[in-house]
Coordinates of all heavy atoms in Angstrom, one line a residue:
A1 N 16.1 -30.6 16.4 CA 16.2 -30.7 17.9 C 14.8 -30.8 18.5 O 14.5 -31.7 19.3 CB 16.9 -29.5 18.5
K2 N 13.9 -30.0 18.0 CA 12.5 -30.0 18.4 C 11.8 -31.4 18.1 O 11.2 -32.0 18.9 CB 11.7 -28.9 17.8 CG 12.0 -27.5 18.3 CD 11.2 -26.4 17.7 CE 11.6 -25.0 18.2 NZ 10.7 -24.0 17.5
E3 N 12.0 -31.8 16.9 CA 11.5 -33.1 16.5 C 12.1 -34.2 17.3 O 11.4 -35.2 17.6 CB 11.7 -33.3 15.0 CG 10.9 -32.4 14.1 CD 9.4 -32.4 14.3 OE1 8.9 -33.6 14.5 OE2 8.8 -31.4 14.2
T4 N 13.4 -34.1 17.6 CA 14.0 -35.1 18.4 C 13.4 -35.2 19.8 O 13.2 -36.2 20.4 CB 15.6 -34.9 18.5 OG1 16.1 -34.8 17.2 CG2 16.3 -35.9 19.3
E5 N 13.2 -33.9 20.3 CA 12.5 -33.9 21.6 C 11.1 -34.5 21.6 O 10.8 -35.2 22.5 CB 12.5 -32.4 22.1 CG 11.9 -32.2 23.5 CD 11.9 -30.7 23.9 OE1 12.4 -29.9 23.1 OE2 11.4 -30.5 25.0
K6 N 10.4 -34.1 20.5 CA 9.1 -34.7 20.4 C 9.2 -36.3 20.3 O 8.4 -37.0 20.8 CB 8.4 -34.2 19.1 CG 8.0 -32.7 19.3 CD 7.3 -32.2 18.0 CE 6.9 -30.8 18.1 NZ 6.2 -30.3 16.9
L7 N 10.2 -36.7 19.5 CA 10.4 -38.1 19.3 C 10.7 -38.8 20.6 O 10.1 -39.9 20.9 CB 11.5 -38.4 18.3 CG 11.8 -39.8 18.0 CD1 10.6 -40.6 17.4 CD2 13.0 -40.0 17.0
Q8 N 11.6 -38.2 21.4 CA 11.9 -38.8 22.7 C 10.7 -38.8 23.6 O 10.4 -39.8 24.3 CB 13.0 -37.9 23.4 CG 14.3 -38.0 22.7 CD 14.9 -39.4 22.7 OE1 14.7 -40.2 23.6 NE2 15.7 -39.7 21.6
F9 N 9.8 -37.7 23.6 CA 8.6 -37.7 24.4 C 7.7 -38.8 23.9 O 7.0 -39.5 24.7 CB 8.0 -36.3 24.2 CG 6.7 -36.2 25.0 CD1 6.7 -36.1 26.4 CD2 5.5 -36.2 24.3 CE1 5.5 -36.0 27.1 CE2 4.3 -36.1 25.1 CZ 4.3 -36.0 26.4
A10 N 7.5 -38.9 22.5 CA 6.7 -40.0 22.0 C 7.2 -41.4 22.3 O 6.4 -42.3 22.7 CB 6.6 -39.8 20.5
L11 N 8.5 -41.5 22.3 CA 9.1 -42.8 22.7 C 8.8 -43.1 24.2 O 8.5 -44.3 24.5 CB 10.6 -42.8 22.4 CG 11.0 -42.9 21.0 CD1 12.5 -42.7 20.9 CD2 10.6 -44.1 20.3
G12 N 8.8 -42.1 25.0 CA 8.5 -42.3 26.4 C 7.0 -42.7 26.6 O 6.7 -43.6 27.3
E13 N 6.2 -42.0 25.8 CA 4.7 -42.4 25.9 C 4.5 -43.8 25.4 O 3.7 -44.5 25.9 CB 3.9 -41.4 25.0 CG 3.8 -40.0 25.7 CD 2.8 -39.1 24.9 OE1 2.6 -39.4 23.7 OE2 2.3 -38.1 25.4
V14 N 5.2 -44.1 24.3 CA 5.1 -45.5 23.7 C 5.6 -46.5 24.8 O 4.9 -47.6 24.9 CB 5.9 -45.6 22.4 CG1 6.1 -47.1 22.0 CG2 5.3 -44.8 21.3
E15 N 6.6 -46.2 25.5 CA 7.1 -47.1 26.5 C 6.1 -47.3 27.6 O 5.8 -48.4 28.1 CB 8.4 -46.6 27.1 CG 9.1 -47.6 28.1 CD 10.4 -47.1 28.5 OE1 10.9 -46.0 28.1 OE2 11.0 -47.8 29.4
V16 N 5.5 -46.1 28.0 CA 4.5 -46.2 29.1 C 3.3 -47.0 28.6 O 2.7 -47.8 29.3 CB 4.1 -44.8 29.5 CG1 2.9 -44.8 30.4 CG2 5.2 -44.0 30.2
L17 N 2.9 -46.7 27.4 CA 1.7 -47.4 26.8 C 2.0 -48.9 26.6 O 1.1 -49.7 26.8 CB 1.3 -46.8 25.5 CG 0.7 -45.3 25.5 CD1 0.5 -44.8 24.2 CD2 -0.6 -45.4 26.3
S18 N 3.3 -49.2 26.2 CA 3.6 -50.6 26.1 C 3.6 -51.3 27.4 O 3.1 -52.4 27.5 CB 5.1 -50.7 25.5 OG 5.1 -50.1 24.2
K19 N 4.1 -50.7 28.5 CA 4.0 -51.3 29.8 C 2.5 -51.5 30.2 O 2.1 -52.5 30.7 CB 4.7 -50.5 30.8 CG 6.3 -50.5 30.6 CD 7.0 -49.6 31.6 CE 8.5 -49.7 31.4 NZ 9.2 -48.9 32.4
Q20 N 1.7 -50.4 30.0 CA 0.3 -50.5 30.3 C -0.4 -51.6 29.5 O -1.2 -52.4 30.0 CB -0.4 -49.1 30.0 CG -1.9 -49.1 30.4 CD -2.5 -47.8 30.2 OE1 -1.8 -46.8 29.8 NE2 -3.8 -47.7 30.4
L21 N 0.0 -51.7 28.2 CA -0.6 -52.7 27.3 C -0.2 -54.1 27.8 O -1.0 -55.0 27.8 CB -0.1 -52.5 25.9 CG -0.7 -53.5 24.9 CD1 -2.2 -53.4 24.8 CD2 0.0 -53.2 23.5
E22 N 1.0 -54.2 28.3 CA 1.5 -55.5 28.8 C 0.8 -55.9 30.0 O 0.4 -57.1 30.2 CB 3.0 -55.4 29.1 CG 3.6 -56.7 29.5 CD 3.6 -57.8 28.4 OE1 3.5 -57.4 27.3 OE2 3.7 -59.0 28.8
R23 N 0.5 -54.9 30.9 CA -0.3 -55.2 32.1 C -1.7 -55.6 31.8 O -2.2 -56.6 32.3 CB -0.3 -54.0 33.1 CG 1.1 -53.7 33.7 CD 0.9 -52.7 34.9 NE 0.4 -51.4 34.4 CZ 1.2 -50.4 34.0 NH1 2.5 -50.5 34.0 NH2 0.6 -49.3 33.6
E24 N -2.3 -54.8 30.8 CA -3.6 -55.2 30.4 C -3.7 -56.5 29.7 O -4.7 -57.3 29.9 CB -4.2 -54.1 29.5 CG -4.4 -52.7 30.2 CD -4.9 -51.7 29.2 OE1 -4.9 -51.9 28.0 OE2 -5.2 -50.6 29.7
K25 N -2.6 -56.8 29.0 CA -2.6 -58.1 28.3 C -2.5 -59.2 29.3 O -3.2 -60.3 29.2 CB -1.3 -58.1 27.4 CG -1.2 -59.4 26.6 CD 0.1 -59.4 25.7 CE 0.3 -60.7 25.0 NZ 1.5 -60.7 24.2

C-alpha cells in the first residue's frame, strides 16, 4: 500500500513533469 501510494505520487510527478516537458518542448 505504501509503495502503491509512492507509485501514485511518482506517477503524478511524472505527469506534471511530462506536461512541463511538453511545454518546454
Side-chain angles (χ1 to χ4, degrees):
K2 290 181 180 180
E3 294 299 325
T4 302
E5 185 178 357
K6 290 180 181 179
L7 178 60
Q8 292 298 328
F9 180 75
L11 289 174
E13 287 186 340
V14 168
E15 185 177 0
V16 172
L17 291 174
S18 297
K19 291 181 179 179
Q20 182 179 355
L21 180 62
E22 183 64 24
R23 289 194 298 270
E24 291 178 354
K25 181 181 178 182

